[in-house]
Amino acid sequence: MIPVAEFKQFTEQQPAFKVLKPWWDVLAEYLTVAMLMIGVFGCTLQVTRKAGAGPGRSAVSCLSPPNHAGRPSNLALFPPHSQVTQDKIICLPSHELRENLSEAPCQQLLPRGVSEQMGGLREVSGLKNNLDLQQYSFINQLCYETALHWYAKYFPYLVVIHTLIFMVCTSFWFKFPGTSSKIEHFISILGKCFDSPWTTRALSEVSGENQKGPAAGRATATVEASAGPGKADEGEKEKVLVEPEKVVTEPPAVTLLDKKEGEQAKALFEKVKKFRVHVEEGDILYTMYIRQTVLKVCKFFAILVYNLVYVEKISFLVACRVETSEVTGYASFCCNHTKAHLFSKLAFCYISFVCVYGITCLYTLYWLFHRPLKEYSFRSVREETGMGDIPDVKNDFAFMLHLIDQYDSLYSKRFAVFLSEVSESRLKQLNLNHEWTPEKLRQKLQRNARGRLELALCMLPGLPDTVFELSEVEALRLEAICDITFPPGLSQLVHLQELSLLHSPARLPFSLQVFLRDRLKVIRVKCEELREVPLWVFGLRGLEELHLEGLFVPELARAAALESLRELKQLKVLSLRSNAGKVPASVTDVAGHLQRLSLHNDGARLLALNSLKKLAVLRELELVACGLERIPHAVFSLGALQELDLKDNHLRSIEEILSFQHCRKLVTLKLWHNQIAYVPEHVRKLRGLEQLYLSHNKLEALPTQLGLCSGLRLLDVSHNGLRSLPPELGLLQSLQHLALSFNALETLPEELFFCRKLRTLLLGYNHLSQLSPQVGTLRALSRLELKGNRLEALPEELGNCVGLKRAGLVVEETLYEGLPAEVREKMEEE
């Protein structure tokens, strides 16, 4: 007997694979089980023997041949009934004489009247050889092998083989390495996505079931208004009955998603992304499923045809003709196929199951080719859940989702949560809120350079909602935070005046634009390209300072296009760091009230500066790293200009400095970090100049006329090649800060110490060998730098500089120790 368990390995699959089995595959699986049972049952009948039959006894029984006298032998006419039922075939000799053999010996046994049959019987005789049992065993086996049709003999085995082929075809794609790996991975991810606590929470939140607070109230009001008067009343009733329950039950749901579960959900998002990229590249699953279905259909037609043709070959009576007359005395036999009646019934049952199985295969083909299974749309899920960013998928990913829908569409709906960027951002938001509590954020608050209470956040995966609980924040600095969407909670920052978005693109709803429009005073935006600057920035009409940093794309670099600044009626400070070819035309929109303009061009040459003439009230102008070789003439038309900074350009000559006399309010001139070799004598015309920066140039001498700039309070000529100073510097009686470090000075003129108001004197890293005792006359001196010179000793007159303390004296320790003890004590006094 063959147990069914032996065939279990052909159908054994992971239980989780059932989600990829549509109803027709499940039905086909049960049909194959039924067909396998038919085959196994038939095979069992074929091999069954009578219990207790020894090796010397045959399992077939036959009539013994008669003796030479025409009488039956001493053996019984028929064997016991229990033996007859176990035989495969039982043969009887023909009743015709040997010389008159019939071509159809079994025709005599066709149904007639019993009396007619008995009357036609006549005594026949055969050969007696004392081998009665062996004779008929031989005849039975010989007739079974030669006379019985092969279909009748092997029908059960054919059923088993065909059924096993069907099973292999059905489950092959679950076993083939190229497809099973993808299926196992998909099933694993699908199960985790289905059971993840975040799935339920995300569906609840995004679909609006978990709305609460003012935002939820506004959303409810919008829905009610669009529903009409009658529906609004019904919605009001539902709100009264349902919303209180949600408010009570939702907080526990929030606590269920702890930090560990949040990290697991975050990992699932990454797995889904990588799996989608991997699976959407090919369609091996779809192709394999089609091929195995086509193979089953072809197999079905082949089985159906040949079974219908050969099923009639299963006959109860079988004529057998063998040349054994020399042994038995007969050559024709009429045989009874004992299992024929049962096999014929099993065959018709098998054909019926095969027909049903074939119909399911044909329906599968219809389903495969009738629908675009290599594309899957989440349109219904997007409409139902409200997650409008769920992308459609294709190829094998789409095919597996179609199969999932045949099992349960809830799987694809819950799986779609992890394809949504909205859902992922909400998860990140939740994790951020857990990590950045209000108490932790308050520890990061500090005063910025403007004295505002600032919160700086850098390189976070998102913006925590807890930020908006800090209502005392006055400045918010966000750096390297991607895809920021300010929530309605931003309106809680009632003291917010300054906002910095450094490589942090941000979206601002219109309602919040209204909130920030008159409230925000300073905004800084830094991005890769200036066209990425959010448009809402140019609508903040209360803005006073706008700082933009980014590159113009090549096609716009020459035009230096920038969004209109016309709405910025109160803008006073504009800073633009880019690679503009000319001053942006939109600057003229604020020319009437702009007070400070800063253009950092990062080395790109800035041309066409004539538009600067329109800035009538401009007080400060910075043209840094703009590739300028001469001072722009447009600058001399700025009558209100007070400060000019031309840092890090290519200035070699400043002969145009004479024209600055038209800028009567100019008090600060910064010409540092250039290649200026000399200062023209007509610098004396700048009598109103208070600060002059000439550091990091190539100066070797200063003009004597510089001493006529009587209003000069700061002079910085450090990092040059000065070897001496003109004595006329002593005329600068208002001078308070003098920077001469990093030059080649060997001596200082005594007249320099006539500048009694000097507070800072920087002489470090020169070639000074001594310091004049006249330094003691500089009683206002509070910082003196002498380090890096060739001094052998310090004058003890430094003790007369009452404002100079040890912290303000930068000198080698050995030189300091050489000062008298009383001088050192005086300097070390607090």
Side-chain angles (χ1 to χ4, degrees):
M1 181 177 181
I2 304 176
V4 180
E6 294 294 330
F7 303 97
K8 184 179 180 182
Q9 57 178 330
F10 294 101
T11 59
E12 188 176 281
Q13 300 165 4
Q14 296 184 13
F17 283 7
K18 63 182 180 181
V19 297
L20 289 179
K21 291 183 178 181
W23 65 265
W24 52 83
D25 278 350
V26 175
L27 177 59
E29 184 176 343
Y30 281 103
L31 290 174
T32 54
V33 171
M35 290 187 287
L36 182 63
M37 292 179 65
I38 291 175
V40 172
F41 180 63
C43 292
T44 304
L45 293 178
Q46 287 280 64
V47 300
T48 302
R49 293 292 184 267
K50 183 178 184 298
R57 299 185 59 183
S58 173
V60 295
S61 295
C62 303
L63 290 173
S64 60
N67 54 23
H68 291 283
R71 295 185 299 272
S73 62
N74 296 328
L75 293 177
L77 183 62
F78 293 100
H81 179 71
S82 59
Q83 286 187 331
V84 173
T85 58
Q86 303 299 327
D87 291 334
K88 296 180 180 179
I89 191 170
I90 301 174
C91 297
L92 294 176
S94 173
H95 291 179
E96 297 182 5
L97 297 176
R98 293 174 54 187
E99 60 273 9
N100 189 24
L101 295 176
S102 173
E103 295 296 333
C106 292
Q107 290 181 356
Q108 299 179 11
L109 299 181
L110 293 177
R112 301 176 189 173
V114 177
S115 60
E116 183 181 350
Q117 291 186 20
M118 294 302 295
L121 289 178
R122 58 184 178 272
E123 185 177 7
V124 293
S125 62
L127 299 179
K128 183 174 181 182
N129 52 16
N130 296 324
L131 295 174
D132 304 322
L133 184 60
Q134 287 82 353
Q135 290 178 19
Y136 281 91
S137 295
F138 174 76
I139 295 300
N140 289 346
Q141 294 298 328
L142 190 59
C143 289
Y144 179 79
E145 295 297 333
T146 59
L148 191 63
H149 194 269
W150 63 267
Y151 182 80
K153 287 191 292 184
Y154 304 118
F155 164 73
Y157 304 105
L158 294 174
V159 172
V160 173
I161 293 174
H162 296 157
T163 305
L164 292 181
I165 293 176
F166 281 137
M167 289 181 175
V168 170
C169 291
T170 302
S171 61
F172 183 74
W173 74 320
F174 292 120
K175 304 293 184 180
F176 183 66
T179 55
S180 63
S181 58
K182 292 183 178 180
I183 293 175
E184 290 176 2
H185 196 185
F186 175 73
I187 294 299
S188 175
I189 295 177
L190 182 67
K192 293 177 181 178
C193 294
F194 190 87
D195 297 331
S196 174
W198 173 247
T199 308
T200 303
R201 179 183 175 90
L203 289 174
S204 176
E205 287 188 354
V206 179
S207 61
E209 298 174 2
N210 190 31
Q211 293 181 353
K212 45 185 181 176
R218 288 193 296 270
T220 305
T222 304
V223 173
E224 290 175 358
S226 61
K231 295 183 179 180
D233 295 338
E234 296 177 1
E236 186 67 26
K237 294 179 182 179
E238 292 180 0
K239 184 172 68 172
V240 173
L241 297 176
V242 178
E243 288 189 357
E245 182 180 355
K246 289 185 179 179
V247 171
V248 173
T249 57
E250 183 56 25
V254 175
T255 59
L256 290 177
L257 193 66
D258 56 17
K259 183 177 181 180
K260 180 180 179 180
E261 292 172 339
E263 292 298 327
Q264 291 175 349
K266 181 179 178 181
L268 273 178
F269 274 103
E270 296 299 325
K271 288 183 179 179
V272 171
K273 286 181 180 178
K274 294 179 180 179
F275 179 77
R276 178 189 172 192
V277 172
H278 175 63
V279 175
E280 280 191 321
E281 293 177 352
D283 58 352
I284 184 173
L285 293 175
Y286 177 74
T287 305
M288 185 68 72
Y289 193 83
I290 289 180
R291 289 177 179 176
Q292 68 183 29
T293 305
V294 171
L295 181 60
K296 288 192 291 184
V297 171
C298 295
K299 183 70 176 177
F300 153 69
F301 282 115
I303 293 174
L304 184 63
V305 170
Y306 95 84
N307 274 274
L308 291 176
V309 171
Y310 290 116
V311 69
E312 61 182 11
K313 299 299 182 181
I314 303 179
S315 176
F316 184 74
L317 296 177
V318 179
C320 178
R321 181 182 180 85
V322 293
E323 296 298 332
T324 58
S325 56
E326 292 80 3
V327 180
T328 62
Y330 302 100
S332 297
F333 298 88
C334 182
C335 302
N336 171 23
H337 186 197
T338 58
K339 308 297 190 303
H341 181 73
L342 183 57
F343 279 6
S344 63
K345 298 298 185 290
L346 292 178
F348 284 112
C349 290
Y350 173 67
I351 293 174
S352 300
F353 284 128
V354 168
C355 290
V356 178
Y357 188 92
I359 292 173
T360 61
C361 294
L362 292 174
Y363 177 81
T364 304
L365 281 182
Y366 168 78
W367 180 76
L368 286 172
F369 294 109
H370 178 68
R371 300 181 58 184
L373 300 181
K374 296 178 68 173
E375 297 178 359
Y376 188 90
S377 174
F378 287 98
R379 183 177 60 183
S380 60
V381 180
R382 289 193 291 262
E383 294 175 353
E384 182 179 353
T385 63
M387 290 184 288
D389 67 321
I390 300 176
D392 295 336
V393 296
K394 58 183 181 180
N395 288 337
D396 281 342
F397 202 178
F399 179 61
M400 286 190 289
L401 289 174
H402 280 293
L403 292 178
I404 289 293
D405 283 345
Q406 296 297 322
Y407 181 79
D408 190 347
S409 59
L410 182 61
Y411 275 89
S412 59
K413 175 181 177 181
R414 295 177 71 88
F415 187 80
V417 171
F418 290 89
L419 292 171
S420 169
E421 293 184 2
V422 171
S423 175
E424 185 177 8
S425 62
R426 287 179 178 270
L427 175 63
K428 292 179 180 178
Q429 196 67 42
L430 184 63
N431 292 336
L432 276 174
N433 296 341
H434 282 309
E435 181 179 359
W436 294 94
T437 60
E439 293 74 18
K440 185 176 180 179
L441 290 174
R442 280 193 173 90
Q443 296 176 2
K444 295 177 67 64
L445 291 177
Q446 56 183 358
R447 296 285 176 181
N448 61 10
R450 298 175 180 269
R452 294 190 177 106
L453 194 61
E454 183 180 68
L455 174 63
L457 299 176
C458 179
M459 298 183 69
L460 295 183
L463 185 62
D465 291 333
T466 50
V467 169
F468 309 111
E469 299 182 20
L470 309 181
S471 58
E472 66 272 22
V473 170
E474 297 175 324
L476 183 60
R477 181 185 178 91
L478 306 177
E479 184 174 357
I481 302 177
C482 298
D483 297 328
I484 299 174
T485 300
F486 286 109
L490 180 64
S491 60
Q492 300 178 23
L493 303 182
V494 293
H495 300 290
L496 185 65
Q497 297 182 16
E498 184 175 338
L499 177 62
S500 299
L501 301 174
L502 311 181
H503 295 292
S504 302
R507 293 183 291 272
L508 189 70
F510 178 76
S511 59
L512 293 179
Q513 294 182 31
V514 176
F515 170 76
L516 294 179
R517 186 169 54 192
D518 298 320
R519 191 180 305 272
L520 208 60
K521 303 300 180 184
V522 180
I523 187 167
R524 294 180 176 84
V525 180
K526 183 178 181 181
C527 51
E528 293 295 332
E529 299 179 359
L530 282 179
R531 62 182 177 183
E532 298 175 5
V533 177
L535 296 180
W536 55 264
V537 170
F538 303 102
L540 302 174
R541 62 189 183 189
L543 205 62
E544 296 179 358
E545 296 186 21
L546 176 60
H547 303 268
L548 302 178
E549 181 175 349
L551 299 177
F552 286 105
V553 291
E555 60 270 18
L556 299 178
R558 294 184 178 180
L562 192 65
E563 293 294 335
S564 175
L565 305 176
R566 193 171 294 107
E567 297 296 327
L568 307 181
K569 302 296 184 182
Q570 301 183 25
L571 189 67
K572 298 177 181 179
V573 178
L574 175 61
S575 175
L576 179 62
R577 184 163 188 168
S578 66
N579 59 336
K582 63 180 182 180
V583 178
S586 59
V587 173
T588 58
D589 295 337
V590 290
H593 45 82
L594 192 65
Q595 298 182 5
R596 185 175 186 273
L597 175 62
S598 176
L599 299 177
H600 290 246
N601 228 34
D602 289 333
R605 190 172 183 180
L606 185 63
L607 303 174
L609 297 172
N610 291 331
S611 58
L612 293 178
K613 297 179 180 180
K614 300 179 181 180
L615 305 177
V617 297
L618 192 67
R619 297 180 181 179
E620 299 180 22
L621 175 62
E622 290 185 5
L623 300 176
V624 179
C626 294
L628 302 176
E629 296 181 355
R630 306 185 70 87
I631 300 176
H633 290 280
V635 173
F636 306 133
S637 302
L638 304 177
L641 190 65
Q642 299 179 5
E643 179 177 334
L644 176 63
D645 187 355
L646 299 177
K647 179 182 178 181
D648 200 12
N649 282 283
H650 304 308
L651 300 179
R652 291 182 172 84
S653 173
I654 53 174
E655 291 291 342
E656 302 88 350
I657 198 172
L658 178 63
S659 301
F660 278 122
Q661 61 183 336
H662 301 292
C663 302
R664 301 184 181 278
K665 295 183 179 181
L666 185 66
V667 295
T668 301
L669 180 59
K670 298 181 179 181
L671 301 174
W672 48 358
H673 296 270
N674 281 281
Q675 302 175 21
I676 301 173
Y678 73 98
V679 178
E681 294 182 356
H682 43 255
V683 69
R684 66 181 184 273
K685 299 292 184 179
L686 305 182
R687 297 185 180 276
L689 198 63
E690 297 181 0
Q691 298 183 15
L692 178 60
Y693 293 83
L694 291 168
S695 64
H696 296 84
N697 278 285
K698 297 181 178 181
L699 298 175
E700 295 184 357
L702 294 178
T704 57
Q705 288 79 4
L706 186 61
L708 300 180
C709 297
S710 56
L712 205 60
R713 294 188 296 109
L714 183 148
L715 177 60
D716 185 358
V717 288
S718 60
H719 293 272
N720 279 282
L722 299 177
R723 297 180 181 276
S724 62
L725 297 176
E728 286 77 9
L729 289 183
L731 300 175
L732 302 176
Q733 294 299 308
S734 299
L735 194 62
Q736 298 180 11
H737 181 99
L738 178 60
L740 299 169
S741 55
F742 292 94
N743 279 284
L745 298 175
E746 296 180 355
T747 59
L748 296 176
E750 294 292 331
E751 292 81 1
L752 181 63
F753 301 103
F754 294 163
C755 303
R756 308 297 186 185
K757 294 183 179 180
L758 268 179
R759 295 181 180 180
T760 302
L761 180 58
L762 307 181
L763 300 170
Y765 299 95
N766 279 279
H767 301 161
L768 299 176
S769 57
Q770 63 178 359
L771 183 63
S772 172
Q774 293 295 326
V775 70
T777 61
L778 305 178
R779 297 183 178 273
L781 196 64
S782 60
R783 181 172 178 81
L784 176 62
E785 182 180 322
L786 298 171
K787 192 173 183 179
N789 283 280
R790 303 171 181 175
L791 299 175
E792 297 180 356
L794 296 178
E796 61 183 37
E797 285 79 7
L798 284 176
N800 297 331
C801 301
V802 294
L804 186 62
K805 301 300 179 183
R806 176 66 184 95
L809 179 61
V810 182
V811 70
E812 287 81 356
E813 191 64 28
T814 55
L815 292 176
Y816 177 74
E817 293 295 335
L819 288 173
E822 59 274 11
V823 176
R824 286 186 278 119
E825 291 178 359
K826 185 182 296 185
M827 288 186 178
E828 293 174 0
E829 291 178 357
E830 295 184 0

